[in-house]
Amino acid sequence: MPLTRILLFVCVAAACAQAQTAKEVDTVYPDAHALYLDLHQNPELSGHEIQTASKLATQLRHAGYDVTEHVGGTGIVAILKNGPGTVIMLRTELDALPVEEKTGLPYASKVHTKNDAGQDVPVMHACGHDAHMASLLGAAEIMARSKNTWHGTLILIGQPAEETISGAKAMVEDGLFTRFPKPDVAVALHVGNDTPAGTVSITPGTYNTNADSLRITIYGKGGHGAAPNTTVDPIVIAARTVLSLQTIVSREVKPGEMAVVTIGYIHAGTKNNIIPDQAEMGLTVRTYKQEVRKQILAAIDRIAKGEAAAAGTAREPSVEHYEGTDSVYNDPALAARLRAPLQAALGKDNVLTGEPITPSEDFAYFLNTGIPGFYFDLGGADPEKFTQAKASGTMLPSNHSPLFAPDVDPALHTGIVAEVAVLRNLLNASPEELHKFTRQDSTQPAAH
């Protein structure tokens, strides 16, 4: 057969496959879109996703899945068995953020609730988790209706408390991989405005950063603001500590290594003429490499204690590491394998290659149990606005912004298509074929 006829056959086959998938998506899209609108208007904070989890669980049961609720808190596990074969996990997050929505959308969230500290806060799906859940539902319904196209076991995870990087750990500790089948591969996606809707992006290797949250409490000696000589001022110590902490990245970390040390808040005092007894500051630390991570955490401890000692405090400061997660790692060979089905489903030009990002998330807790993972990005930006922003050098609203709003159509269509393509590919592989992707790459950082 001449080469031109072979290429024509391949193109026609790809076009037919895309048309068939599009037809499948059209049948489930109304359910997925309705769930998206409902979740967007009714977001819930981390650890409190009671109605969110219930809605998703109900839809998945209706689709034919065996659903278990309250795993690791409000987490859900939905299983669909379809004969022998691989076990593949697809995960979505359930939680929203304490952000006041300012998108002006007709379905914008107007929810206010009490946070864990008892404060009244607005709530918004400012990180796209509503789109993730809707995509998962659409993919779940297609997979349940097309069991002739795959075999094995599909596990869908609705994970709570991703925004506080605690939900994945809670699910694992609650027996996620002992009470239920352990996956051969775990998959997740994330929507953002970095790429236009209609596209997906793959980042082989390190996808994002290690994240560490710290709380430093400096203990001074309070007194009258007019007589500072009778005090040990924790606010001044905190100010010096903030400046010294900024030298870690600029003067201690090797140039070229990725590292971020950000002080997000300082709390101290009640009145202008009172020097308080103590000051508290909150930090976030982001790194790619484990050795850099350890270096920075040790430097923070050293500097905080050194500044306090220099000021003559009677008590060492408290340096509390209260949450953290490792970076997410995409096995390069697994990422390369899944590029082909995504290109076949979406078109070659719509499958991009991304670079590591600085935000973090706790999907790594699943992978650190020895499961290879594939975490990819879903384009969320309105294509026209994306082009205009790129031409003008401006930035579209990012995740966590009160203005963040994915272009639902085609982003949701694309998310469903992409997840189905990935799941079918993995569920038609043998377990032995997938086990070779169990994170053997020497460039992968060791688990924390």
Side-chain angles (χ1 to χ4, degrees):
M1 182 181 292
L3 178 59
T4 54
R5 292 184 64 188
I6 293 174
L7 293 174
L8 178 63
F9 175 79
V10 170
C11 291
V12 170
C16 289
Q18 288 181 24
Q20 177 59 33
T21 303
K23 190 179 297 184
E24 289 180 306
V25 173
D26 287 342
T27 64
V28 303
Y29 189 80
D31 285 347
H33 188 252
L35 180 66
Y36 174 80
L37 294 179
D38 185 1
L39 295 173
H40 191 90
Q41 292 179 87
N42 299 285
E44 295 177 296
L45 291 178
S46 304
H48 302 276
E49 312 92 339
I50 298 169
Q51 293 302 318
T52 301
S54 177
K55 291 170 185 176
L56 185 57
T58 298
Q59 295 273 32
L60 292 174
R61 282 197 186 94
H62 186 262
Y65 288 75
D66 180 14
V67 181
T68 302
E69 297 182 71
H70 309 296
V71 180
T74 57
I76 64 175
V77 178
I79 298 177
L80 186 63
K81 295 183 178 180
N82 189 26
T86 57
V87 179
I88 303 301
M89 169 183 136
L90 174 63
R91 171 270 214 166
T92 184
E93 316 93 313
L94 303 175
D95 54 337
L97 286 159
V99 173
E100 181 180 2
E101 182 161 359
K102 298 179 181 178
T103 61
L105 292 168
Y107 53 87
S109 169
K110 296 178 176 61
V111 172
H112 277 250
T113 190
K114 298 288 186 183
N115 64 13
D116 290 337
Q119 301 164 320
D120 182 77
V121 295
V123 190
M124 174 192 175
H125 269 297
C127 205
H129 296 180
D130 46 356
H132 304 170
M133 287 183 271
S135 295
L136 179 139
L137 175 63
E141 290 187 348
I142 290 175
M143 297 301 287
R145 298 176 187 183
S146 61
K147 293 172 110 176
N148 62 315
T149 65
W150 62 277
H151 53 85
T153 299
L154 174 57
I155 301 178
L156 306 177
I157 302 296
Q159 181 211 307
E162 184 277 328
E163 295 293 353
T164 56
I165 53 177
S166 59
K169 181 180 180 182
M171 291 191 80
V172 171
E173 291 178 346
D174 198 20
L176 177 60
F177 299 135
T178 54
R179 295 165 55 190
F180 308 97
K182 187 171 183 178
D184 295 298
V185 172
V187 177
L189 62 68
H190 203 292
V191 68
N193 274 340
D194 296 327
T195 51
T199 67
V200 297
S201 181
I202 299 171
T203 304
T206 298
Y207 169 78
N208 63 4
T209 57
N210 305 302
D212 295 283
S213 300
L214 295 94
R215 184 182 298 114
I216 299 176
T217 304
I218 298 167
Y219 303 101
K221 178 184 175 184
H224 202 296
N229 57 300
T230 67
T231 73
V232 179
D233 192 337
I235 295 178
V236 173
I237 300 170
R240 287 202 299 251
T241 303
V242 169
L243 294 177
S244 294
L245 290 174
Q246 297 310 305
T247 67
I248 296 174
V249 174
S250 68
R251 288 296 177 269
E252 296 191 35
V253 175
K254 180 181 176 182
E257 296 286 3
M258 188 278 166
V260 173
V261 177
T262 293
I263 294 86
Y265 72 81
I266 299 177
H267 293 159
T270 57
K271 195 173 185 295
N272 67 306
N273 64 346
I274 300 173
I275 293 174
D277 282 322
Q278 63 186 56
E280 179 182 298
M281 63 180 72
L283 291 74
T284 188
V285 177
R286 306 299 171 104
T287 54
Y288 286 147
K289 293 183 178 179
Q290 289 291 345
E291 58 267 31
V292 176
R293 182 186 199 180
K294 292 176 182 176
Q295 177 190 7
I296 291 177
L297 294 178
I300 290 171
D301 188 78
R302 184 192 77 237
I303 288 171
K305 292 176 180 176
E307 289 291 351
T313 62
R315 179 181 173 186
E316 268 195 347
S318 165
V319 182
E320 179 188 359
H321 181 279
Y322 63 91
E323 64 183 16
T325 185
D326 292 340
S327 62
V328 173
Y329 183 80
N330 283 324
D331 183 287
L334 180 59
R337 173 196 174 97
L338 293 172
R339 183 179 293 274
L342 285 170
Q343 289 178 337
L346 299 172
K348 187 174 182 180
D349 292 341
N350 291 323
V351 181
L352 313 175
T353 299
E355 296 182 353
I357 61 173
T358 54
S360 304
E361 76 116 274
D362 63 353
F363 189 65
Y365 274 101
F366 300 129
L367 309 188
N368 286 348
T369 65
I371 302 169
F374 180 64
Y375 192 105
F376 64 113
D377 288 304
L378 174 65
D382 177 295
E384 185 176 340
K385 291 180 180 178
F386 179 82
T387 301
Q388 292 172 352
K390 194 170 183 180
S392 64
T394 58
M395 300 285 290
L396 294 174
S398 67
N399 299 76
H400 293 214
S401 163
L403 300 174
F404 179 74
D407 185 8
V408 181
D409 186 7
L412 183 52
H413 274 95
T414 305
I416 297 170
V417 170
E419 289 184 341
V420 169
V422 167
L423 293 175
R424 281 179 174 159
N425 180 276
L426 295 173
L427 285 162
N428 281 305
S430 68
E432 294 75 23
E433 191 178 354
L434 296 183
H435 288 170
K436 68 183 179 182
F437 298 120
T438 307
R439 306 203 302 168
Q440 299 295 327
D441 193 294
S442 61
T443 64
Q444 183 200 0
H448 175 60

